[in-house]
Amino acid sequence: MYDVIIIGAGVSGTASARELSRYKGRICVLEKEEDVCCGTSKANSGIVHAGYDAVPGSLKAELNVKGNKKMERLAKELDFPFRRTGSLVICLGEEEMPGLQKLYDRGIANGVRGLKILNREEVLAMEPNITDKVYAALYAPSAGIVCPFGMNIAFAENAYMNGVEFRFNTEVQYIRKTEAGYEIRTDQGVFHTKCVVNAAGVYADKFHNMVSRQKIHITPRRGEYCLLDKTAGGHVSRTIFSLPSKYGKGVLVTPTIHGNLLIGPTAVDIEDKEGTNTTREGLDTVIVKAGQSVKDLPMRQVITSFAGLRAHEDGSEFIIREIEDAEGFIDCAGIESPGLTSCPAIGEMVAGILKEKLGLEEKEEFIPARRGILDPNTMSKEERAELIRTEPAYGNIICRCEMITEGEILDAIRRPLGARTLDGIKRRTRAGMGRCQSGFCSPRTMELLAREWNVSMSDITKSGGNSRLVVGTNKDTL
């Protein structure tokens, strides 16, 4: 019998797990994929939103601003990359000024710091590559950029260090209320728990509706992106938004925390909860709309495209509460943008509900800090030479595009909740995320995975399941 089972190892689930790990109790995270950060959390804009977009008084507004304020401390404590860069929402004519003023007023009502409406000259002085048609912009200095993988993995590792169990490749199939709590049937057996946290992303409505008569509905909203090479990373230095629509914040142009340039996303409602394919139409839309905000985008520098799904609930609001007719079942549903920004506050809110409900006591031995993977590129020449002398693996470059060493990959495999797939290595170290998109480094990375986990090369997958890269070969010869 667990005290709490969390369904989903995305950023909301792991943030909740990390906060719950402050307390005495038996906590478990069930995840249907092979790793953390395999759903919405891995395919988004990586933006820390300032908080001017959400309706004042909404849970989105409250948690966005709270989460934004926590980022510096959290990034230092859990050792993941974050930087405040600021953002600009641009308008292209005087007729759009009421929309810009509305965002400003919302931001002030929500408690966003430092908001200012800039004129054309001020905008162009700040960002020379903004379209020549710019009329004005809303400047939000508190906005920033973050590594979504890094933050998600940091939450999970710290939760694990503090006693939370993780069960991967474990798909929840059915949930039933019992006298003692809940019975959760999975493809890996049956689990029993006093309370459930439903952080299942686009599947959260499915699990909610199994236990409640008050139904909710979540629509997968697909967003497509183009990622440009680091040579294009300085084209803008802040996140550039167009005025938002009913479908979201529109197509943005932003530097990433690792120095690339990202444009997107689209916003298309679909039925398929696994529909993360890109489309020609969607990518064309991204390119056209991004070009309306920022001129001379070097589209020949695109190195990959991808799509993610946002969990859009019909009421356009976060649902974070205990279900009225299902005691002990805590929804963490409808977590779309600004969910990444809000997740530190979401985790605190979920843990607060369960602390009160279960009477949880704080641990004296809680470990608040976590150290990320060592990056030799951040060291001085002398420090790096000494590192290589003592640990030669840090002198062997595996990924040439991102300059990732064997030592970093081994750390990614050996650390808590270590990587078992190529994508797991990629999310932890960036090996394979560069210009050649793993064309050079994947065979050597596979060799390291096979050696460290003592399996055949034919057992190594890209992203779990049947995504094997070596097929049709006798295992014994590998």
Side-chain angles (χ1 to χ4, degrees), residues 46-285:
I47 303 300
V48 174
H49 292 284
Y52 50 73
D53 188 60
V55 175
S58 67
L59 195 56
K60 279 186 178 181
E62 176 189 348
L63 299 185
N64 184 347
V65 174
K66 283 184 178 179
N68 180 292
K69 290 178 179 178
K70 294 177 183 294
M71 281 296 167
E72 272 99 352
R73 177 188 61 79
L74 197 62
K76 184 176 182 180
E77 198 168 67
L78 295 181
D79 196 13
F80 61 82
F82 161 71
R83 187 167 77 249
R84 287 204 191 276
T85 53
S87 66
L88 293 166
V89 182
I90 67 168
C91 74
L92 304 180
E94 187 174 359
E95 69 280 2
E96 292 185 349
M97 284 301 292
L100 207 65
Q101 185 65 47
K102 182 179 180 181
L103 287 183
Y104 175 86
D105 293 340
R106 277 188 177 182
I108 295 301
N110 291 341
V112 180
R113 302 165 291 174
L115 287 178
K116 185 179 179 182
I117 293 181
L118 307 179
N119 61 33
R120 168 187 166 83
E121 289 71 26
E122 290 172 317
V123 176
L124 290 173
M126 194 175 279
E127 292 286 353
N129 286 320
I130 289 283
T131 175
D132 294 331
K133 296 179 180 179
V134 65
Y135 182 82
L138 176 64
Y139 175 50
S142 63
I145 52 179
V146 69
C147 175
F149 324 116
M151 183 160 63
N152 197 161
I153 291 166
F155 281 137
E157 288 186 357
N158 190 235
Y160 181 82
M161 290 164 57
N162 284 291
V164 174
E165 298 179 36
F166 282 77
R167 303 289 187 99
F168 297 111
N169 297 307
T170 303
E171 183 172 2
V172 174
Q173 297 172 331
Y174 187 73
I175 304 173
R176 183 176 70 88
K177 186 79 175 75
T178 66
E179 288 187 8
Y182 289 89
E183 178 184 278
I184 301 178
R185 299 178 189 173
T186 77
D187 59 354
Q188 300 298 319
V190 178
F191 296 81
H192 297 274
T193 182
K194 297 175 185 176
C195 294
V196 175
V197 175
N198 175 22
V202 294
Y203 289 96
D205 55 349
K206 172 184 174 182
F207 300 128
H208 169 104
N209 295 340
M210 286 179 182
V211 300
S212 176
R213 294 184 299 273
Q214 301 169 9
K215 307 304 182 185
I216 65 172
H217 178 252
I218 288 176
T219 301
R221 180 167 286 174
R222 182 168 60 205
E224 300 180 49
Y225 295 86
C226 291
L227 182 70
L228 281 68
D229 188 61
K230 290 182 177 180
T231 56
H235 200 72
V236 295
S237 56
R238 297 162 185 83
T239 302
I240 311 301
F241 294 101
S242 56
L243 279 170
S245 70
K246 67 176 182 178
Y247 290 104
K249 298 175 179 68
V251 171
L252 59 82
V253 180
T254 185
T256 71
I257 196 69
H258 296 291
N260 298 84
L261 191 72
L262 181 69
I263 64 173
T266 53
V268 178
D269 290 346
I270 62 175
E271 294 297 323
D272 184 4
K273 291 180 184 287
E274 299 291 333
T276 57
N277 57 295
T278 57
T279 65
R280 179 70 269 169
E281 180 184 7
L283 296 178
D284 285 344
T285 298

Side-chain angles (χ1 to χ4, degrees), residues 295-335:
K295 63 185 178 183
D296 302 326
L297 285 167
M299 297 310 299
R300 289 179 63 86
Q301 298 301 315
V302 171
I303 58 175
T304 192
S305 59
F306 62 93
L309 299 178
R310 287 159 275 178
H312 177 70
E313 192 271 328
D314 288 353
S316 298
E317 175 64 305
F318 293 163
I319 302 175
I320 305 173
R321 60 174 179 260
E322 183 179 19
I323 299 177
E324 292 180 3
D325 61 345
E327 183 182 359
F329 193 99
I330 315 301
D331 269 333
C332 187
I335 310 300

